[in-house]
Amino acid sequence: MEKQTTNKIKVYRAMRDMTQEELADKVGVTRQTIIAIEKNKYVPSLGLAFKISRVFDETIENVFQYQK
């Protein structure tokens, strides 16, 4: 069975009216990286996942989900 990481970044960005570019600037990555993470094509490092979660003032578990 394939394990998969999903996320709610797009939802949290929408709730805060934040663009992908703004989020990318806040966490120090490119917009393309945020796009790849949102589409679940790229799994962020643990450090980047914490940075993203802190921008939204949420726990990492609320933003990212790990499914078996």
Side-chain angles (χ1 to χ4, degrees), residues 31-49:
R31 180 175 165 261
Q32 286 71 30
T33 299
I34 298 300
I35 292 169
I37 295 170
E38 282 187 359
K39 292 182 177 182
N40 297 311
K41 292 184 175 181
Y42 173 74
V43 178
S45 68
L46 186 56
L48 179 55

Side-chain angles (χ1 to χ4, degrees), residues 2-13:
E2 185 175 322
K3 299 172 185 172
Q4 187 174 11
T5 301
T6 59
N7 67 78
K8 297 179 183 171
I9 293 174
K10 190 172 183 177
V11 172
Y12 283 112
R13 277 194 316 98

Side-chain angles (χ1 to χ4, degrees), residues 17-65:
D17 197 27
M18 181 183 293
T19 67
Q20 292 170 332
E21 187 73 41
E22 289 170 335
L23 177 58
D25 288 345
K26 288 180 183 278
V27 298
V29 298
T30 65
R31 180 175 165 261
Q32 286 71 30
T33 299
I34 298 300
I35 292 169
I37 295 170
E38 282 187 359
K39 292 182 177 182
N40 297 311
K41 292 184 175 181
Y42 173 74
V43 178
S45 68
L46 186 56
L48 179 55
F50 271 109
K51 284 182 182 178
I52 292 170
S53 299
R54 288 179 180 158
V55 166
F56 299 134
D57 197 27
E58 293 287 338
T59 64
I60 196 167
E61 293 88 357
N62 284 345
V63 179
F64 295 92
Q65 296 77 43

